[in-house]
Amino acid sequence: MMTKISLLAAAGFAALAMTTGAQAQTASAQPYIGLSAGYHDTHVSGAAHDDGAIVGVIGGVDFPVGETLTIGVEGNYHVGTNAIDSEYGVAARLGFPVGHNSQLFVKGGYQEVNFDLHKLTGLSTLPAGLDDTDGDYLVGVGGEFGLGNSPARLRVGVDTISFDTVRATAGVVWKF
């Protein structure tokens, strides 16, 4: 568990270091917060209910690098249903502005998932001290689409954890 937290912290600091360097070359940071909901299929081998709806929050900051690129870092926290109790992670982002107040992005980072082992296994009793978390690298793609001149953007994305899971989300983010 400590190793996973250390990896998560290291990924966050690496992404922050990248964005801090970019900030020196750009006009201003673009922080954002948002609400997110979706569906996460964990593909746990042999499990009948290895998926679930998720709902949560996201937040981060983007730094423009010229007119055609942004780099940034974001974090997320979601609670889930069925086999997923909660999940959280951090990722570095590369954004590609398209149109007015919109962008497409790719991201990479680390995601940790806390499972509900009772729902996952169907067993009412489990051994004491059984680890119910798992995490690995995350990669994803998505888009944010502006709502006129409003700071709000509609957001959609698809992620995978180590190419073993599929997580689709949609939500609203507010840029400051």
Side-chain angles (χ1 to χ4, degrees), residues 141-154:
V141 298
E144 296 172 357
F145 305 98
L147 302 171
N149 290 325
S150 167
R153 295 181 179 187
L154 295 176

Side-chain angles (χ1 to χ4, degrees), residues 65-165:
V65 180
E67 294 181 17
T68 60
L69 180 68
T70 64
I71 62 173
V73 62
E74 84 173 21
N76 74 82
Y77 179 81
H78 291 85
V79 294
T81 62
N82 286 341
I84 302 169
D85 276 339
S86 64
E87 58 182 49
Y88 58 92
V90 64
R93 290 185 1 145
L94 286 177
F96 307 94
V98 293
H100 177 68
N101 205 19
S102 300
Q103 76 171 338
L104 301 176
F105 62 84
V106 295
K107 65 181 181 176
Y110 183 84
Q111 190 77 6
E112 184 81 11
V113 180
N114 180 5
F115 291 99
D116 182 330
L117 294 179
H118 294 287
K119 289 181 181 175
L120 189 62
T121 64
L123 301 173
S124 59
T125 305
L126 296 168
L130 191 60
D131 186 10
D132 64 351
T133 62
D134 193 18
D136 211 333
Y137 67 91
L138 171 127
V139 293
V141 298
E144 296 172 357
F145 305 98
L147 302 171
N149 290 325
S150 167
R153 295 181 179 187
L154 295 176
R155 176 184 167 129
V156 295
V158 177
D159 305 324
T160 181
I161 301 173
S162 67
F163 294 98
D164 291 331
T165 74

Side-chain angles (χ1 to χ4, degrees), residues 12-44:
F13 287 124
L16 186 58
M18 284 183 3
T19 58
T20 302
Q23 184 180 16
Q25 303 171 7
T26 62
S28 64
Q30 299 173 344
Y32 61 90
I33 59 171
L35 301 174
S36 176
Y39 183 80
H40 193 166
D41 189 347
T42 62
H43 297 297
V44 176

